[in-house]
Amino acid sequence: MSDELKKNALEYHRFPKPGKLEIKATKPLANQRDLALAYSPGVAAACEEIVADPLTAAHYTARGNLVAVISNGTAVLGLGAIGGLASKPVMEGKAVLFKEFADIDVFDIEIDERDPQRLIDIIAGLEPTFGGINLEDIKAPDCFIVEQALKERMGIPVFHDDQHGTAIVVSAAILNGLRVVGKDLSEIRLVTAGAGAAALACLDLLVSLGLPRENILVTDIAGVVHVGRTEEMDPYKAKYAADTPHRTLEQALDGADVFLGLSAAGVLKADWLPRMADRPLIMALANPVPEILPELAKAARPDAILATGRTDYPNQVNNVLCFPFLFRGALDCGATEINEPMKRACVEAIADLARQQPSDIVRQAYGGQELRFGENYLIPKPFDPRLMEHVAPAIAKAAAESGVATRPIADLQAYRQSLHHRVFRTGMTMKPVFDQARTALQRVAFAEGEDDRVLQAAQQAVEQGIARPLLIGRREVIEARIRALGLSVSPERDLSILDPHHNPRHETHVAAFLQRAKRRGYAPSEAREHLRNNSTALGAVLLRTGDTDALICGAVGRYNHHLEQIETVIGAATGIHRLAAMNGVVLHQGTLFIADTHVQVEPDAEAIAEITLLCAREVRRFGIEPRVALLSHSNFGTHQDAEASKMHQAVRLIRLAEPELEVDGEMRADLALLESVRDERFPGSLLNGSANLLIMPNQGAANIAFNLLKVLGNAGGGGTTIGPLLVGAARSAHILTPGTTVRGLLNMTALAAVRAQ
């Protein structure tokens, strides 16, 4: 870990408040009556219902959506036995994944206890509090003992993700990999490197799915696990002891169809791979460095199919494909355990999702990538928005069919639809954009290259591989600020610097500027001076001439001053009559986009229609299907003033231009966001659910609404902002605001890069 990344990680965990979690009330407590309902005497009614029927706890308490992430810190990531207290950041991180991916609440519980029996007793006593238990980072063989005992004693799901989450995703990848190469699970030979909890759980599940036990060879630090071996043995790996003459991993690979690595970096050598069968499947899952790097494996065996645990190679095996959605389905049907049928259903659901036809939703979410089932796409991407609605119902169905669901879901289609509406209630909105930015590195110019926030964002853009920054500013100032901030980026190696006063292409850029601005009163001498002193104008010219792929400006100065340069040099795209600005706020309820926040002051109906269509196209870049509400003080014709009338007319123009777009209005904001209120007032609305794109009648309303939501969202633990996104320009250019944070700059860098692609 670099010093800069370590510093950023510590700041991330410390500010604006320590840790990654908080507890907040879900009910109002504004007056004496609320107090009487929340506590004495009203709370007694809920208690009495639970006494009469314990299953009603899921209706009257948070238990039905509450999971405990529990660890004693004996096997934490790559850190080892660091103890419960030091493991807390990891457990909080796991809690965040539960919440963001599947909207499941979590208490992380770190227990300072290494005796398995005492640990079992402590955890078992927590059953009244939780709907499920996720065991995490407990060393083997204790993890086997603890999980088995808890499953026998507790009437709620107990799941050791290190074992079974890994096993489920690995099994899905192997099943699909074998499908690609035309082999059957019942006929293949599999060799492991590693015999820990995860590896053994993978083998148990694969055997459950049809892999013959006699076709498995297990290896660990002491060699092949064979009959008669006593070194480094325990009862859990002993059941896979084979009657074989092989004693090393190299020997075990003879004729193997699958290599499954859950061990350590570099244990698989390239010159051993020719021993394997035709078209082998190599699962090198050690992190952060796999058992063999894919490029080395491919060089030795071009016919191999590779999978790793890393994001920078195809076929990332990531537990986040499994555990949030597995628990989502288990909690929603009141499952008493997570059994083998549920795990097999999870495997099949994940594998099936990758085999489905390419989805427009996924293509949009991943910036236009065509994800087709094959050797480089065996399992879904971790941020595939279909995972929740695909996997959770399969779990609920398997739980009901196997008899462990206390609240079976009668209408799985309705359940699936309800999950669909929860998918984008997440702080992960930007993740697919970052993934797409990495696919084709773009040059992104920053007009305010001397600004500390810009320099920090440039460092992170380089570290994350989403862009090559081009900083406009004085070289000596930029280099001094890089040193003062302790950044590790190196000019020329990692980024470029263009000093406006020492620009080798100055005259070329002046000519390009004059070509666009000659009717705006600039003499050649004035244009030369302008490009030396106005970094946004220079950045726009760089974009116009192809010397950069995207431009970000506005970190310093007024928005309209930057906009003037963009409009002059870049202009609108072909067929577009005007530019517009859209902002987004990522709230717990979902991501909400608002326009036009910065450009069009008093747009007429035609302008409103064009702004809406441009913004809807931009929303789709996030993999979100826009649901558009045109806002007003009027509800579907209750007022006939000019403002209400223009919004009403704009809806008609939008529907003529794009009949498939889900849009309605004019309407008040409460109707736009609350379907129940809208249905009562106007049952015939063409808008379904809550709107996610709000088009305001003027800039003042849009800007006020956005800033209110930003502040209220931050106060409520959400409030991550996106934008302003400049839409309609002929090139990828965005104008920020002086209050933009480093995180906001980084988000916009990724968005600008993807637009440039």
Side-chain angles (χ1 to χ4, degrees), residues 9 11-23 86-97 99-100 106 108 588 717:
E11 289 178 349
Y12 175 87
H13 282 81
R14 187 176 179 185
F15 300 107
K17 60 172 64 175
K20 298 188 283 283
L21 301 170
E22 67 176 359
I23 297 173
S87 77
K88 189 172 179 64
V90 179
M91 303 312 131
E92 285 189 359
K94 191 66 175 273
V96 170
L97 295 180
K99 185 63 178 178
E100 299 299 345
V106 166
D108 64 289
H588 287 306

mmCIF file of all heavy atoms in Angstrom, residues 9 11-23 86-97 99-100 106 108 588 717:
data_model
loop_
_atom_site.group_PDB
_atom_site.id
_atom_site.type_symbol
_atom_site.label_atom_id
_atom_site.label_comp_id
_atom_site.label_asym_id
_atom_site.label_seq_id
_atom_site.Cartn_x
_atom_site.Cartn_y
_atom_site.Cartn_z
ATOM 1 N N ALA A 9 -6.922 6.268 2.944
ATOM 2 C CA ALA A 9 -7.758 5.266 3.604
ATOM 3 C C ALA A 9 -8.053 5.658 5.044
ATOM 4 O O ALA A 9 -9.187 5.518 5.528
ATOM 5 C CB ALA A 9 -7.085 3.896 3.555
ATOM 6 N N GLU A 11 -8.076 8.720 6.279
ATOM 7 C CA GLU A 11 -8.983 9.865 6.255
ATOM 8 C C GLU A 11 -10.405 9.423 5.917
ATOM 9 O O GLU A 11 -11.376 9.929 6.487
ATOM 10 C CB GLU A 11 -8.491 10.904 5.241
ATOM 11 C CG GLU A 11 -7.230 11.625 5.679
ATOM 12 C CD GLU A 11 -6.738 12.614 4.641
ATOM 13 O OE1 GLU A 11 -7.254 12.585 3.496
ATOM 14 O OE2 GLU A 11 -5.819 13.407 4.964
ATOM 15 N N TYR A 12 -10.516 8.477 5.006
ATOM 16 C CA TYR A 12 -11.829 7.940 4.628
ATOM 17 C C TYR A 12 -12.536 7.346 5.844
ATOM 18 O O TYR A 12 -13.736 7.539 6.048
ATOM 19 C CB TYR A 12 -11.636 6.887 3.540
ATOM 20 C CG TYR A 12 -12.891 6.141 3.127
ATOM 21 C CD1 TYR A 12 -13.720 6.652 2.131
ATOM 22 C CD2 TYR A 12 -13.221 4.927 3.716
ATOM 23 C CE1 TYR A 12 -14.863 5.961 1.746
ATOM 24 C CE2 TYR A 12 -14.365 4.234 3.338
ATOM 25 C CZ TYR A 12 -15.181 4.757 2.347
ATOM 26 O OH TYR A 12 -16.314 4.077 1.964
ATOM 27 N N HIS A 13 -11.782 6.607 6.658
ATOM 28 C CA HIS A 13 -12.380 5.968 7.825
ATOM 29 C C HIS A 13 -12.640 6.952 8.963
ATOM 30 O O HIS A 13 -13.526 6.721 9.796
ATOM 31 C CB HIS A 13 -11.478 4.835 8.330
ATOM 32 C CG HIS A 13 -11.580 3.584 7.532
ATOM 33 N ND1 HIS A 13 -10.900 3.404 6.344
ATOM 34 C CD2 HIS A 13 -12.306 2.461 7.714
ATOM 35 C CE1 HIS A 13 -11.190 2.209 5.844
ATOM 36 N NE2 HIS A 13 -12.042 1.620 6.659
ATOM 37 N N ARG A 14 -11.908 8.053 8.999
ATOM 38 C CA ARG A 14 -12.005 8.971 10.143
ATOM 39 C C ARG A 14 -13.005 10.101 9.947
ATOM 40 O O ARG A 14 -13.647 10.545 10.906
ATOM 41 C CB ARG A 14 -10.619 9.561 10.435
ATOM 42 C CG ARG A 14 -10.577 10.398 11.702
ATOM 43 C CD ARG A 14 -9.180 10.875 12.007
ATOM 44 N NE ARG A 14 -9.138 11.695 13.212
ATOM 45 C CZ ARG A 14 -8.072 12.324 13.656
ATOM 46 N NH1 ARG A 14 -6.927 12.218 12.996
ATOM 47 N NH2 ARG A 14 -8.120 13.056 14.747
ATOM 48 N N PHE A 15 -13.143 10.609 8.717
ATOM 49 C CA PHE A 15 -13.962 11.800 8.475
ATOM 50 C C PHE A 15 -15.150 11.473 7.570
ATOM 51 O O PHE A 15 -15.060 10.584 6.737
ATOM 52 C CB PHE A 15 -13.102 12.900 7.822
ATOM 53 C CG PHE A 15 -11.932 13.335 8.655
ATOM 54 C CD1 PHE A 15 -10.639 12.976 8.311
ATOM 55 C CD2 PHE A 15 -12.123 14.101 9.796
ATOM 56 C CE1 PHE A 15 -9.562 13.364 9.072
ATOM 57 C CE2 PHE A 15 -11.043 14.499 10.570
ATOM 58 C CZ PHE A 15 -9.759 14.133 10.211
ATOM 59 N N PRO A 16 -16.284 12.208 7.646
ATOM 60 C CA PRO A 16 -16.574 13.292 8.594
ATOM 61 C C PRO A 16 -16.919 12.804 9.980
ATOM 62 O O PRO A 16 -16.969 13.580 10.920
ATOM 63 C CB PRO A 16 -17.777 13.983 7.957
ATOM 64 C CG PRO A 16 -18.467 12.893 7.220
ATOM 65 C CD PRO A 16 -17.374 12.004 6.684
ATOM 66 N N LYS A 17 -17.162 11.490 10.135
ATOM 67 C CA LYS A 17 -17.302 10.903 11.471
ATOM 68 C C LYS A 17 -16.631 9.547 11.438
ATOM 69 O O LYS A 17 -16.572 8.898 10.391
ATOM 70 C CB LYS A 17 -18.768 10.795 11.881
ATOM 71 C CG LYS A 17 -19.635 9.936 10.982
ATOM 72 C CD LYS A 17 -21.028 9.724 11.560
ATOM 73 C CE LYS A 17 -21.809 11.005 11.684
ATOM 74 N NZ LYS A 17 -23.200 10.757 12.139
ATOM 75 N N PRO A 18 -16.091 9.102 12.565
ATOM 76 C CA PRO A 18 -15.328 7.838 12.559
ATOM 77 C C PRO A 18 -16.177 6.639 12.133
ATOM 78 O O PRO A 18 -17.347 6.521 12.496
ATOM 79 C CB PRO A 18 -14.877 7.713 14.018
ATOM 80 C CG PRO A 18 -14.890 9.109 14.555
ATOM 81 C CD PRO A 18 -16.035 9.782 13.870
ATOM 82 N N GLY A 19 -15.541 5.743 11.384
ATOM 83 C CA GLY A 19 -16.197 4.506 10.980
ATOM 84 C C GLY A 19 -17.030 4.649 9.720
ATOM 85 O O GLY A 19 -17.095 5.721 9.118
ATOM 86 N N LYS A 20 -17.669 3.539 9.326
ATOM 87 C CA LYS A 20 -18.433 3.502 8.084
ATOM 88 C C LYS A 20 -19.924 3.281 8.298
ATOM 89 O O LYS A 20 -20.678 3.147 7.340
ATOM 90 C CB LYS A 20 -17.874 2.392 7.173
ATOM 91 C CG LYS A 20 -16.423 2.605 6.773
ATOM 92 C CD LYS A 20 -15.972 1.597 5.723
ATOM 93 C CE LYS A 20 -15.693 0.233 6.285
ATOM 94 N NZ LYS A 20 -14.401 0.137 6.988
ATOM 95 N N LEU A 21 -20.356 3.211 9.566
ATOM 96 C CA LEU A 21 -21.748 2.887 9.862
ATOM 97 C C LEU A 21 -22.315 3.847 10.896
ATOM 98 O O LEU A 21 -21.582 4.457 11.670
ATOM 99 C CB LEU A 21 -21.865 1.463 10.425
ATOM 100 C CG LEU A 21 -21.364 0.317 9.569
ATOM 101 C CD1 LEU A 21 -21.349 -0.957 10.390
ATOM 102 C CD2 LEU A 21 -22.243 0.144 8.350
ATOM 103 N N GLU A 22 -23.640 3.949 10.901
ATOM 104 C CA GLU A 22 -24.331 4.641 11.961
ATOM 105 C C GLU A 22 -25.710 4.019 12.115
ATOM 106 O O GLU A 22 -26.189 3.300 11.237
ATOM 107 C CB GLU A 22 -24.472 6.139 11.664
ATOM 108 C CG GLU A 22 -25.388 6.463 10.498
ATOM 109 C CD GLU A 22 -25.567 7.960 10.300
ATOM 110 O OE1 GLU A 22 -24.994 8.743 11.075
ATOM 111 O OE2 GLU A 22 -26.284 8.337 9.359
ATOM 112 N N ILE A 23 -26.365 4.283 13.241
ATOM 113 C CA ILE A 23 -27.722 3.806 13.474
ATOM 114 C C ILE A 23 -28.649 5.007 13.401
ATOM 115 O O ILE A 23 -28.365 6.062 13.977
ATOM 116 C CB ILE A 23 -27.840 3.116 14.847
ATOM 117 C CG1 ILE A 23 -26.949 1.874 14.882
ATOM 118 C CG2 ILE A 23 -29.282 2.750 15.152
ATOM 119 C CD1 ILE A 23 -26.848 1.219 16.234
ATOM 120 N N ALA A 86 -8.995 -5.019 15.989
ATOM 121 C CA ALA A 86 -8.356 -4.585 14.741
ATOM 122 C C ALA A 86 -9.132 -5.040 13.514
ATOM 123 O O ALA A 86 -8.985 -4.462 12.433
ATOM 124 C CB ALA A 86 -6.924 -5.121 14.679
ATOM 125 N N SER A 87 -9.980 -6.068 13.686
ATOM 126 C CA SER A 87 -10.776 -6.544 12.542
ATOM 127 C C SER A 87 -12.020 -5.700 12.302
ATOM 128 O O SER A 87 -12.686 -5.874 11.286
ATOM 129 C CB SER A 87 -11.192 -8.001 12.765
ATOM 130 O OG SER A 87 -12.269 -8.098 13.696
ATOM 131 N N LYS A 88 -12.336 -4.801 13.210
ATOM 132 C CA LYS A 88 -13.595 -4.052 13.116
ATOM 133 C C LYS A 88 -13.741 -3.264 11.803
ATOM 134 O O LYS A 88 -14.822 -3.251 11.211
ATOM 135 C CB LYS A 88 -13.761 -3.122 14.313
ATOM 136 C CG LYS A 88 -15.150 -2.468 14.390
ATOM 137 C CD LYS A 88 -15.336 -1.718 15.691
ATOM 138 C CE LYS A 88 -16.714 -1.062 15.750
ATOM 139 N NZ LYS A 88 -17.816 -2.050 15.740
ATOM 140 N N PRO A 89 -12.698 -2.596 11.286
ATOM 141 C CA PRO A 89 -12.879 -1.916 9.988
ATOM 142 C C PRO A 89 -13.302 -2.866 8.870
ATOM 143 O O PRO A 89 -14.077 -2.484 7.988
ATOM 144 C CB PRO A 89 -11.492 -1.313 9.716
ATOM 145 C CG PRO A 89 -10.873 -1.144 11.060
ATOM 146 C CD PRO A 89 -11.361 -2.319 11.864
ATOM 147 N N VAL A 90 -12.781 -4.101 8.907
ATOM 148 C CA VAL A 90 -13.152 -5.082 7.889
ATOM 149 C C VAL A 90 -14.619 -5.459 8.037
ATOM 150 O O VAL A 90 -15.370 -5.537 7.058
ATOM 151 C CB VAL A 90 -12.265 -6.335 7.969
ATOM 152 C CG1 VAL A 90 -12.676 -7.362 6.924
ATOM 153 C CG2 VAL A 90 -10.797 -5.960 7.806
ATOM 154 N N MET A 91 -15.049 -5.694 9.261
ATOM 155 C CA MET A 91 -16.442 -6.095 9.497
ATOM 156 C C MET A 91 -17.407 -4.959 9.161
ATOM 157 O O MET A 91 -18.497 -5.186 8.623
ATOM 158 C CB MET A 91 -16.640 -6.551 10.939
ATOM 159 C CG MET A 91 -15.729 -7.693 11.362
ATOM 160 S SD MET A 91 -15.683 -9.052 10.162
ATOM 161 C CE MET A 91 -13.910 -9.275 10.001
ATOM 162 N N GLU A 92 -17.012 -3.720 9.469
ATOM 163 C CA GLU A 92 -17.828 -2.580 9.054
ATOM 164 C C GLU A 92 -17.919 -2.523 7.530
ATOM 165 O O GLU A 92 -18.969 -2.209 6.970
ATOM 166 C CB GLU A 92 -17.246 -1.272 9.588
ATOM 167 C CG GLU A 92 -17.470 -1.033 11.062
ATOM 168 C CD GLU A 92 -17.069 0.367 11.495
ATOM 169 O OE1 GLU A 92 -16.603 1.143 10.645
ATOM 170 O OE2 GLU A 92 -17.243 0.695 12.685
ATOM 171 N N GLY A 93 -16.798 -2.821 6.880
ATOM 172 C CA GLY A 93 -16.810 -2.839 5.414
ATOM 173 C C GLY A 93 -17.767 -3.878 4.873
ATOM 174 O O GLY A 93 -18.497 -3.643 3.904
ATOM 175 N N LYS A 94 -17.783 -5.066 5.486
ATOM 176 C CA LYS A 94 -18.713 -6.106 5.065
ATOM 177 C C LYS A 94 -20.158 -5.646 5.280
ATOM 178 O O LYS A 94 -21.037 -5.906 4.454
ATOM 179 C CB LYS A 94 -18.437 -7.380 5.865
ATOM 180 C CG LYS A 94 -19.156 -8.627 5.351
ATOM 181 C CD LYS A 94 -18.643 -9.024 3.968
ATOM 182 C CE LYS A 94 -19.243 -10.329 3.495
ATOM 183 N NZ LYS A 94 -18.495 -11.510 3.940
ATOM 184 N N ALA A 95 -20.388 -4.942 6.371
ATOM 185 C CA ALA A 95 -21.724 -4.415 6.647
ATOM 186 C C ALA A 95 -22.166 -3.448 5.565
ATOM 187 O O ALA A 95 -23.325 -3.454 5.129
ATOM 188 C CB ALA A 95 -21.733 -3.730 8.011
ATOM 189 N N VAL A 96 -21.238 -2.607 5.123
ATOM 190 C CA VAL A 96 -21.560 -1.643 4.062
ATOM 191 C C VAL A 96 -21.948 -2.371 2.777
ATOM 192 O O VAL A 96 -22.879 -1.966 2.070
ATOM 193 C CB VAL A 96 -20.366 -0.697 3.823
ATOM 194 C CG1 VAL A 96 -20.587 0.142 2.576
ATOM 195 C CG2 VAL A 96 -20.171 0.212 5.032
ATOM 196 N N LEU A 97 -21.246 -3.460 2.452
ATOM 197 C CA LEU A 97 -21.577 -4.219 1.247
ATOM 198 C C LEU A 97 -22.988 -4.805 1.338
ATOM 199 O O LEU A 97 -23.749 -4.784 0.365
ATOM 200 C CB LEU A 97 -20.555 -5.328 1.027
ATOM 201 C CG LEU A 97 -19.120 -4.883 0.727
ATOM 202 C CD1 LEU A 97 -18.218 -6.092 0.541
ATOM 203 C CD2 LEU A 97 -19.061 -3.985 -0.496
ATOM 204 N N LYS A 99 -25.467 -3.578 2.954
ATOM 205 C CA LYS A 99 -26.442 -2.488 2.822
ATOM 206 C C LYS A 99 -26.514 -1.969 1.400
ATOM 207 O O LYS A 99 -27.606 -1.773 0.846
ATOM 208 C CB LYS A 99 -26.066 -1.348 3.784
ATOM 209 C CG LYS A 99 -27.088 -0.216 3.823
ATOM 210 C CD LYS A 99 -28.428 -0.701 4.342
ATOM 211 C CE LYS A 99 -29.440 0.435 4.431
ATOM 212 N NZ LYS A 99 -30.755 -0.039 4.901
ATOM 213 N N GLU A 100 -25.370 -1.743 0.804
ATOM 214 C CA GLU A 100 -25.371 -1.104 -0.509
ATOM 215 C C GLU A 100 -25.828 -2.035 -1.619
ATOM 216 O O GLU A 100 -26.458 -1.609 -2.571
ATOM 217 C CB GLU A 100 -23.974 -0.548 -0.829
ATOM 218 C CG GLU A 100 -23.484 0.508 0.147
ATOM 219 C CD GLU A 100 -24.378 1.733 0.192
ATOM 220 O OE1 GLU A 100 -25.204 1.915 -0.712
ATOM 221 O OE2 GLU A 100 -24.255 2.510 1.153
ATOM 222 N N VAL A 106 -27.024 -4.218 9.131
ATOM 223 C CA VAL A 106 -26.041 -5.096 9.782
ATOM 224 C C VAL A 106 -25.514 -4.457 11.059
ATOM 225 O O VAL A 106 -25.255 -3.251 11.096
ATOM 226 C CB VAL A 106 -24.855 -5.380 8.828
ATOM 227 C CG1 VAL A 106 -23.673 -5.992 9.574
ATOM 228 C CG2 VAL A 106 -25.285 -6.308 7.703
ATOM 229 N N ASP A 108 -22.109 -5.101 13.110
ATOM 230 C CA ASP A 108 -20.873 -5.877 13.138
ATOM 231 C C ASP A 108 -20.507 -6.129 14.599
ATOM 232 O O ASP A 108 -20.563 -5.235 15.440
ATOM 233 C CB ASP A 108 -19.753 -5.155 12.394
ATOM 234 C CG ASP A 108 -19.369 -3.829 13.050
ATOM 235 O OD1 ASP A 108 -20.181 -2.888 12.959
ATOM 236 O OD2 ASP A 108 -18.268 -3.743 13.638
ATOM 237 N N HIS A 588 -30.390 7.325 0.063
ATOM 238 C CA HIS A 588 -30.688 5.947 0.450
ATOM 239 C C HIS A 588 -31.866 5.404 -0.349
ATOM 240 O O HIS A 588 -31.961 4.206 -0.608
ATOM 241 C CB HIS A 588 -30.992 5.868 1.946
ATOM 242 C CG HIS A 588 -29.784 6.037 2.811
ATOM 243 N ND1 HIS A 588 -28.656 5.261 2.665
ATOM 244 C CD2 HIS A 588 -29.507 6.915 3.807
ATOM 245 C CE1 HIS A 588 -27.744 5.629 3.547
ATOM 246 N NE2 HIS A 588 -28.234 6.633 4.253
ATOM 247 N N GLY A 717 -26.925 10.879 6.101
ATOM 248 C CA GLY A 717 -25.971 9.804 5.850
ATOM 249 C C GLY A 717 -25.836 9.443 4.380
ATOM 250 O O GLY A 717 -25.079 8.563 4.019
#
